[in-house]
Amino acid sequence: MAVEFYIHKMSEHMDSAEIVQWLVVEGQAVAAQQAIIEVMTDKFAVELEAPQAGILAGIRPGCIKGAIVPVGEPIAYIAQPGEQVPSLPPFGDAAAAQVPNMVAARGGTDGGSEEASGRVKSTPVARRMARDLGVDIEQVQGTGPGGRVVEADIRAAAELRKPRAPEPPVPTVPPIAAPTPPGDHGFRFQELTPIQRITGERMRESVVNAPQFALDVSADATNLLWLQEALADRVAPAAQARLSLTGLLIKITAEALLQHPYANAEFSGGRIKLIDAVNMGVAIGTERGLVVPVIKDAAHKDLAAITAELAAFQDKARTLHFAAEDLAGGTFTLSNLGMYGVERFTAIVNPPQSAILAVGAVTRQPVVLANDTLGVRPLFNLTLTVDHRVLDGLQAARFLSDLKQKIEKPYFVIA
């Protein structure tokens, strides 16, 4: 039996995706879980897989490279050999090209059109941009196919709403140097990338909706650094990657979260959602913005598996070519800026998670030893930011204290 194929929602804010390319042609046989299309979401490029084995059939007209397709709408079928599938209505440019013919066939204005119902035809990207820029899309003249309002129309309307600078007065004395051209003030605007825009929206939502506070401690990294060196030769061959401090911290933090379930929880619908698996999100910076891939069930994976996944995510971050499941399901986030020399910072909770850990650089600092003598030790800062609706100060302090102890005595990781 044929099943509908559509782009599913891969993040809370995702409402559409751009088709990058079809990986198979209509009429071609596909296997279950075979990648058949590549799309660009608001965060990353992803290949979507066939839900079952069969034949790719009935691709919706207009679903071509560059088309912006809403999530949840069928764009093709996976049918069985010889099976007939229903025709899907045209989409995008293909639909706009049919509007005049449809109106003529009905002998007048199309009573079911978007104009008749008081709505302006527009792309999902244009509607979202209009909301962000405060533009009344009903007042915008569309220049797209069939009069559809597109992204460029919204930008032009937003520019027209900006106040004009007054004309400079005519000088009575000729200036010594040529005046600066009107509007040239030594700066330029840079549009946000989709990742930057969605990250900004989520962080604003987090700060506005979640009462947050932060706690921090300094941890002695002496034994952690020793463990990294001692296990390097064991982990590297199996992982095909170097064991990093971030990899060790993912494992240790995941173990601590097993004993502190509220730090691994979510605030959902006015209730606390306790989650059994520890799915560690790892913040990775790119030239186009921040991504947070997720290492699933990190507490039950060994260091080699964690190191291999982390290395794979860092490779994918260079091209932002992630699978949908790579960025989904995180229950806790770790952000390490120590490799950039940042010694201390406070991160914002990634909703709907209840906590995030910020890790600073390891620096050698004077400390008072057990025999009241002075010594020098490698120390680094840990800052835990939490959602106060899920954790109170005592719960957060207990988790951070336990984490510090596990970092300073990490020998359990060897077992």
Side-chain angles (χ1 to χ4, degrees):
M1 180 179 177
V3 298
E4 293 180 342
F5 178 76
Y6 58 90
I7 297 173
H8 55 273
K9 197 177 185 71
M10 288 171 264
S11 68
E12 182 181 356
H13 299 272
M14 178 180 168
D15 56 15
S16 63
E18 178 183 346
I19 296 177
V20 176
Q21 61 177 331
W22 286 94
L23 303 176
V24 297
V25 298
E26 187 167 355
Q28 182 177 336
V30 297
Q33 281 73 59
Q34 177 182 341
I36 61 175
I37 191 174
E38 181 182 2
V39 300
M40 175 65 73
T41 74
D42 51 10
K43 280 192 171 186
F44 54 94
V46 60
E47 295 178 351
L48 301 183
E49 301 173 345
Q52 67 176 20
I55 306 295
L56 177 62
I59 294 178
R60 187 174 179 177
C63 288
I64 59 176
K65 179 178 179 180
I68 306 295
V69 182
V71 300
E73 292 192 13
I75 60 174
Y77 293 94
I78 304 299
Q80 299 308 306
E83 184 179 10
Q84 297 297 314
V85 297
S87 297
L88 292 170
F91 175 81
D93 293 347
Q98 291 194 6
V99 170
N101 295 333
M102 293 170 61
V103 173
R106 296 176 184 177
T109 302
D110 181 4
S113 67
E114 291 176 297
E115 290 85 353
S117 62
R119 294 184 57 196
V120 173
K121 292 188 297 182
S122 57
T123 66
V125 173
R127 291 195 295 273
R128 183 169 57 206
M129 180 174 291
R131 290 194 301 269
D132 292 344
L133 298 180
V135 173
D136 183 0
I137 200 169
E138 299 286 341
Q139 305 300 319
V140 177
Q141 180 66 43
T143 61
R148 186 181 300 272
V149 176
V150 296
E151 181 180 350
D153 300 326
I154 300 299
R155 293 190 192 281
E159 286 296 323
L160 290 175
R161 295 172 65 242
K162 293 181 180 179
R164 298 287 183 180
E167 292 293 332
V170 178
T172 56
V173 178
I176 297 175
T180 302
D184 184 4
H185 303 291
F187 62 84
R188 57 192 175 93
F189 289 102
Q190 176 66 50
E191 297 294 339
L192 295 177
T193 66
I195 295 177
Q196 290 169 332
R197 179 183 58 77
I198 200 68
T199 300
E201 289 176 356
R202 288 178 61 81
M203 294 303 99
R204 179 185 60 81
E205 174 189 331
S206 176
V207 171
V208 170
N209 295 332
Q212 301 180 30
F213 69 95
L215 305 173
D216 70 272
V217 296
S218 290
D220 189 332
T222 300
N223 294 327
L224 190 67
L225 294 171
W226 173 85
L227 188 65
Q228 180 189 17
E229 182 177 356
L231 297 180
D233 291 340
R234 180 191 303 182
V235 171
Q240 294 296 298
R242 183 183 67 87
L243 175 62
S244 64
L245 282 181
T246 299
L248 275 168
L249 289 171
I250 289 170
K251 175 63 176 176
I252 295 170
T253 304
E255 293 278 356
L257 286 167
L258 290 177
Q259 282 75 52
H260 299 270
Y262 284 90
N264 192 56
E266 295 179 356
F267 188 81
S268 177
R271 298 182 297 175
I272 298 174
K273 180 180 178 182
L274 299 174
I275 304 169
D276 294 333
V278 176
N279 299 329
M280 291 287 298
V282 186
I284 299 177
T286 74
E287 292 299 322
R288 292 164 59 184
L290 184 71
V291 291
V292 186
V294 178
I295 297 177
K296 306 292 198 305
D297 201 20
H300 296 113
K301 289 180 176 175
D302 60 23
L303 279 175
I306 290 174
T307 299
E309 284 192 48
L310 186 59
F313 286 152
Q314 289 167 340
D315 285 340
K316 291 181 177 181
R318 294 185 181 95
T319 59
L320 290 181
H321 203 101
F322 288 94
E325 60 270 17
D326 290 341
L327 302 180
T331 60
F332 185 93
T333 299
L334 185 148
S335 180
N336 184 2
L337 293 179
M339 64 283 292
Y340 300 105
V342 176
E343 296 182 11
R344 182 191 305 263
F345 69 103
T346 302
I348 300 173
V349 173
N350 186 17
Q353 297 171 19
S354 64
I356 184 171
L357 182 69
V359 180
V362 176
T363 59
R364 298 186 65 80
Q365 300 178 34
V367 296
V368 178
L369 304 178
N371 58 0
D372 289 338
T373 61
L374 286 177
V376 176
R377 291 288 187 271
L379 304 181
F380 68 114
N381 181 261
L382 306 170
T383 301
L384 179 72
T385 306
V386 303
D387 183 341
H388 210 328
R389 297 172 299 181
V390 182
L391 291 93
D392 58 30
L394 179 59
Q395 292 169 316
R398 284 174 173 168
F399 168 68
L400 197 56
S401 176
D402 188 23
L403 178 60
K404 171 183 166 73
Q405 291 179 25
K406 289 181 182 298
I407 288 172
E408 293 183 339
K409 296 181 179 180
Y411 311 115
F412 68 92
V413 175
I414 302 177

